[in-house]
Amino acid sequence: MKKLIASLAFITPLASAAQCDLDSQYVQAHYQVSNQQTTTNALAKDQQFTLWRTPHQVAEQGHELVEVWQQLRNQQIRPIRYFQAQQRGIEYQPTEVHGQQDWSTKYQLVSDNFIAKMTLTNEQGEGCERLQNYQLVQGDTKIELAWLVNKKLISSMRISKPQLTQTLSLVSVHFDKADVLQQFANWDSYQTTDYADIGDNESDPFLAKMINLGFIEHGASGFYDANGKALSGGHSH
């Protein structure tokens, strides 16, 4: 019996998909976005952002700008846009947001429906590290996705067009609940203004600047640069 117990001690059970999903609910995932002009091989400046998430809150944090989406009880999505340097934010109501309202797109950067349209080419790894490779060709665009299925995280995604190739790569990931909750609490402490009230507060220098720069026009979900501009080739799907 002792020999059996000793031998069992060396067996490391693989985590179930459900356990991986549970362990991955509080995430800090750092990504890099690279753009390369196909014809000239010129490299544009890399963009970086961090994906933060809890079960019902997601944030994409760039250098200055943070896009937060909150999933409400009625499954509607409420966005908040934070400006870190000013420690200010603009809150939107779900009815003020146009475009796609798919929670999986926010939660994991690529929607479940989009993955379902892709072709699974191969799988590797096991447990929480199980990686699925997908491919999809749409017209002159080829999309390749390496998907950590049990963590609901993109490992890498490449969008290849005749003139441009954009690559999204997972640089590092941490699953520390306390750190994630602290970061959302920090943003929550910022002074916020309702989008509907901005017109009544143009004397506020911060809001006047936002209006002049066009920041307050909330667009579709995507990768944003430091000026709040959607990067080309982002989540157009």
Side-chain angles (χ1 to χ4, degrees):
M1 187 67 179
K2 288 182 179 179
K3 287 184 179 179
L4 176 60
I5 293 173
S7 64
L8 287 174
F10 291 98
I11 299 175
T12 304
L14 290 171
S16 68
Q19 185 61 47
C20 295
D21 189 29
L22 193 64
D23 293 343
S24 305
Q25 287 187 337
Y26 296 88
V27 174
Q28 176 190 0
H30 188 61
Y31 283 96
Q32 181 167 299
V33 185
S34 303
N35 296 283
Q36 182 171 7
Q37 297 290 336
T38 309
T39 50
T40 62
N41 282 329
L43 285 170
K45 186 179 179 182
D46 287 350
Q47 304 283 344
Q48 296 185 341
F49 71 93
T50 303
L51 175 73
W52 299 81
R53 77 182 184 209
T54 72
H56 299 288
Q57 212 168 192
V58 177
E60 281 183 39
Q61 178 189 21
H63 179 61
E64 291 287 341
L65 185 68
V66 182
E67 294 274 350
V68 172
W69 295 277
Q70 298 174 338
Q71 187 184 41
L72 307 180
R73 289 179 183 272
N74 60 6
Q75 304 305 306
Q76 286 187 309
I77 300 173
R78 185 170 77 102
I80 306 172
R81 179 172 286 173
Y82 290 115
F83 300 85
Q84 297 185 112
Q86 297 86 356
Q87 296 195 1
R88 296 285 299 272
I90 298 173
E91 295 189 35
Y92 299 79
Q93 295 304 313
T95 53
E96 293 167 339
V97 182
H98 304 289
Q100 194 172 27
Q101 288 292 292
D102 180 273
W103 180 245
S104 65
T105 304
K106 317 298 186 192
Y107 190 77
Q108 58 202 33
L109 303 177
V110 59
S111 73
D112 290 329
N113 289 337
F114 187 72
I115 295 174
K117 294 177 183 176
M118 304 185 81
T119 301
L120 178 64
T121 56
N122 63 72
E123 293 186 67
Q124 58 199 74
E126 296 177 301
C128 296
E129 302 306 317
R130 185 175 163 213
L131 187 74
Q132 295 180 332
N133 291 294
Y134 289 89
Q135 192 170 295
L136 178 69
V137 177
Q138 290 182 325
D140 61 0
T141 301
K142 181 180 180 182
I143 302 170
E144 298 162 281
L145 170 68
W147 177 241
L148 289 162
V149 60
N150 291 332
K151 291 181 178 177
K152 290 185 168 58
L153 284 171
I154 293 174
S155 177
S156 67
M157 183 166 70
R158 177 175 298 193
I159 304 171
S160 305
K161 300 180 180 181
Q163 295 81 25
L164 176 71
T165 296
Q166 182 182 52
T167 305
L168 172 67
S169 304
L170 179 63
V171 178
S172 63
V173 62
H174 303 282
F175 303 99
D176 189 312
K177 182 177 179 179
D179 284 353
V180 173
L181 291 177
Q182 182 60 56
Q183 182 59 74
F184 277 104
N186 289 346
W187 291 322
D188 194 47
S189 70
Y190 290 2
Q191 178 187 342
T192 59
T193 304
D194 287 339
Y195 174 72
D197 296 334
I198 287 177
D200 300 328
N201 291 275
E202 290 187 33
S203 59
D204 184 317
F206 166 76
L207 295 177
K209 181 182 178 184
M210 294 303 100
I211 292 169
N212 291 335
L213 293 176
F215 279 160
I216 61 170
E217 290 302 322
H218 189 85
S221 167
F223 307 131
Y224 292 89
D225 62 20
N227 296 319
K229 208 171 181 180
L231 301 176
S232 62
H235 304 305
S236 58
H237 51 262

